Amino acid sequence: SAVISQKPSRDICQRGTSLTIQCQVDSQVTMMFWYRQQPGQSLTLIATANQGSEATYESGFVIDKFPISRPNLTFSTLTVSNMSPEDSSIYLCSVEGRHEQYFGPGTRLTVT
Amino acid sequence: GIQVEQSPPDLILQEGANSTLRCNFSDSVNNLQWFHQNPWGQLINLFYIPSGTKQNGRLSATTVATERYSLLYISSSQTTDSGVYFCAAHPKRDALNFGKGTSLLVTP
């Protein structure tokens, strides 16, 4: 199994600012995924990040709002830009193991 | 994309009771997983089960791929079983599509 850490674990941010979330994996992985979980809702995929290529965004998510970096096979960042209260969510990164996917502990973001 | 539906949406049990959670999916799957999300938001892997039956302690799961459903069984429930149970699936090795979850509350 993969061990995934995320930083920060939680943050409270002001409207209009940006926050960068880091995801670190203890082994090299090809595909990393970023999900959002709004309060009381299920998880929704934001984008897929492969090392060495541009991230692929799902419908409703754009690069200007959620820029992603994937500089190597163990690390990725997701930035939530120009935040509004609607961005208050848990953001989770995920990686693919041999068969199944593993999730990080999440970053709980509150925008005031 | 693949649709994942879970039932029931909410469930309240007394400690010691058994329960069955259901997950229906709209397409053949290469990956199907069950997760438990604890009150702190952490997603805990329970089962990777695109087909067949698995057991882990008081939990077991069965996926009937030909009929496109999966069941999660919880026996002798404990208060620590409370939380949200998610089923997630994908037809290929790719990001998962999640159901809306079953919110379980186990009372003493």
Side-chain angles (χ1 to χ4, degrees), chain B residues 4 18-19 28 36 58 67 72 77 90 94 96 106 108:
Chain B
V4 179
N18 302 329
S19 62
S28 58
H36 176 215
R58 295 182 296 104
E67 298 186 22
L72 177 70
S77 57
H90 200 277
D94 206 334
L96 292 167
V106 181

Side-chain angles (χ1 to χ4, degrees), chain A residues 35 37 42 97-98 100-101, chain B residues 33 37 45 93-94 96 99:
Chain A
Y35 291 81
Q37 186 179 25
S42 185
R98 185 177 175 191
E100 62 201 281
Q101 290 191 14
Chain B
Q33 292 182 239
Q37 188 169 41
N45 285 36
R93 294 194 69 184
D94 206 334
L96 292 167

Side-chain angles (χ1 to χ4, degrees), chain A residues 22-91:
Chain A
Q22 299 179 7
C23 178
Q24 180 77 52
V25 189
D26 69 340
S27 57
Q28 294 185 338
V29 294
T30 303
M31 299 172 76
M32 295 181 78
F33 308 100
W34 286 98
Y35 291 81
R36 179 177 75 179
Q37 186 179 25
Q38 294 178 301
Q41 304 296 313
S42 185
L43 281 77
T44 301
L45 180 68
I46 298 172
T48 300
N50 291 336
Q51 194 268 337
S53 62
E54 293 282 334
T56 303
Y57 289 83
E58 297 300 300
S59 175
F61 298 96
V62 295
I63 187 171
D64 289 346
K65 176 68 175 178
F66 298 101
I68 289 171
S69 77
R70 182 80 200 274
N72 58 52
L73 292 173
T74 64
F75 187 79
S76 179
T77 67
L78 169 75
T79 299
V80 186
S81 304
N82 188 25
M83 288 183 284
S84 66
E86 291 72 34
D87 294 319
S88 296
S89 298
I90 300 174
Y91 292 85

